[in-house]
Amino acid sequence: MDTLRALRILGLPPSATAAEIKDSWRDLAKVWHPDRFVHDERLRRKAGDNLQRINEAHEALRDYDPAKTPRLASRVRESVAIILGMGELGDPPPAPTAALPFAAPSGPIGLRRSLRVLGLGLRRSTGEAGTRRRGSATWLVVLVSVVALVLAVVSLLRSQQPEMTGRDVVAEINRLRTDPAGYAAMLEQTLPLYAGSELRRPGQITIRTNEGAGAVREAMAALRARAPLAPLEYSEGLSRAAADHVRDQGPGGATGHDGSDGSSMRTRIERYGQWGGGISENIDYGSLSAREVVMSLVVDDGVSSRGHRRNLLDPDIRVAGAACGPHRRYRTMCVMDHAGSFVPRGVTPKD
């Protein structure tokens, strides 16, 4: 039995823990135990079939790890599960109290099962009024379910946008620069996420890298051999230059340092001020947090020169700006511009 079907049978979302799987198995096993229906052979056979499926589902989930479920699919299924219910067994039929060899499960049962109980209660209504009530309740449940599903999808789309600002990224760069050895320790914590060339972050899409964990270990060694550097000053002007490139590339899904208008890193920076001492630019695609952005650039997988890392740890840069936004192809992008010095337009340079 596949994992998703087993979860449906137990009425659980993909994020279910081992304890929740065990509790659901026990509850459903009690509800569908054949001994509850000794006075009705048809229900007894149905209960026996369902109990077998419950036990098979529990066995299939014995080694289940919710952390390995893809993030987007997991959250969609969980949202639908909470509102609509994912069980395959249906509502348990009523049984005579005298036929119960044990107490029926009690206590909080959650929205999904509450809706089932509500539906069951309405189905017991008789007569014309009961029919109208049953029909109204069905449409009400459908309407609530559709609205909830739309809200869940909107929430998911929003969650795939960058949960970071340019200031967050510059702050993370400064964490790297001021404590390279400490950052190496954080990189070390990502090593268990690699399986060969694949990077498997919990709840996210698997990424196939070029060098695997070897690039991480090389970055760790390089950082531990470096002395701390001064933090960078955040620049609003450089951030505006970076934002221009995000707005240009994001909607069309373009990549690279050249703008669709022919602009370069230099021309974008010079729109907003005067730079000195050298400039550089890094761009990251697909990361969902400032830490993912900086870690990706530090590891610099597949880039033999490690040029992105070199830009971040350049002792000659003093100021930086950054901007992040949605990207059509990679979902997100972040642009970082660095300079030895930067004087915004309209400001007199200091002597």
Side-chain angles (χ1 to χ4, degrees), residues 50-297:
N50 281 342
L51 183 59
Q52 180 178 350
R53 295 164 67 196
I54 291 166
N55 288 333
E56 290 174 354
H58 179 247
E59 184 63 27
L61 297 173
R62 186 173 298 277
D63 299 319
Y64 178 69
D65 182 3
K68 296 180 180 178
T69 304
R71 182 183 184 193
L72 184 60
S74 172
R75 294 181 62 187
V76 168
R77 294 188 190 108
E78 184 169 353
S79 298
V80 175
I82 292 172
I83 301 303
L84 298 176
M86 294 177 70
E88 292 189 351
L89 305 178
D91 297 311
T97 304
L100 293 176
F102 38 70
S106 61
I109 57 177
L111 174 61
R112 174 171 45 77
R113 293 187 184 176
S114 296
L115 287 175
R116 289 182 178 178
V117 171
L118 178 61
L120 178 61
L122 292 173
R123 281 196 294 275
R124 287 179 178 173
S125 300
T126 58
E128 185 178 349
T131 301
R132 286 198 301 270
R133 189 188 307 171
R134 182 168 65 248
S136 300
T138 300
W139 281 109
L140 177 60
V141 171
V142 170
L143 178 60
V144 170
S145 302
V146 170
V147 171
L149 183 58
V150 170
L151 293 175
V153 170
V154 171
S155 175
L156 285 168
L157 291 176
R158 289 178 177 175
S159 73
Q160 298 307 304
Q161 302 308 315
E163 299 176 357
M164 54 191 158
T165 65
R167 287 186 180 273
D168 293 334
V169 173
V170 173
E172 190 68 19
I173 293 172
N174 284 335
R175 188 173 289 110
L176 164 71
R177 288 173 63 90
T178 57
D179 186 15
Y183 219 83
M186 289 193 292
L187 283 177
E188 187 172 15
Q189 295 174 6
T190 70
L191 289 176
L193 303 179
Y194 284 84
S197 63
E198 293 184 345
L199 173 57
R200 301 174 178 175
R201 293 191 182 102
Q204 295 193 36
I205 297 172
T206 297
I207 299 174
R208 186 174 296 279
T209 66
N210 293 293
E211 303 173 67
V216 179
R217 293 190 179 92
E218 185 274 330
M220 290 164 49
L223 292 180
R224 285 169 176 156
R226 295 191 69 100
L229 296 169
L232 303 176
E233 178 185 349
Y234 178 80
S235 167
E236 190 65 41
L238 290 177
S239 294
R240 292 175 68 185
D244 283 352
H245 202 42
V246 172
R247 284 191 294 269
D248 180 36
Q249 286 197 339
T255 60
H257 295 277
D258 294 329
S260 62
D261 58 356
S263 64
S264 64
M265 165 191 65
R266 176 172 179 167
T267 57
R268 289 190 295 270
I269 290 175
E270 290 178 346
R271 291 171 186 167
Y272 300 102
Q274 178 181 342
W275 58 272
I279 53 175
S280 60
E281 181 174 78
N282 281 345
I283 306 177
D284 175 84
Y285 299 93
S287 297
L288 298 179
S289 70
R291 179 149 300 173
E292 284 186 16
V293 168
V294 175
M295 282 189 169
S296 174
L297 295 171

Side-chain angles (χ1 to χ4, degrees), residues 34-38 40-49:
D35 288 348
R36 294 185 61 199
F37 313 106
V38 293
D40 190 323
E41 185 58 26
R42 181 183 65 82
L43 292 181
R44 182 180 174 84
R45 287 197 301 271
K46 180 179 180 181
D49 292 341

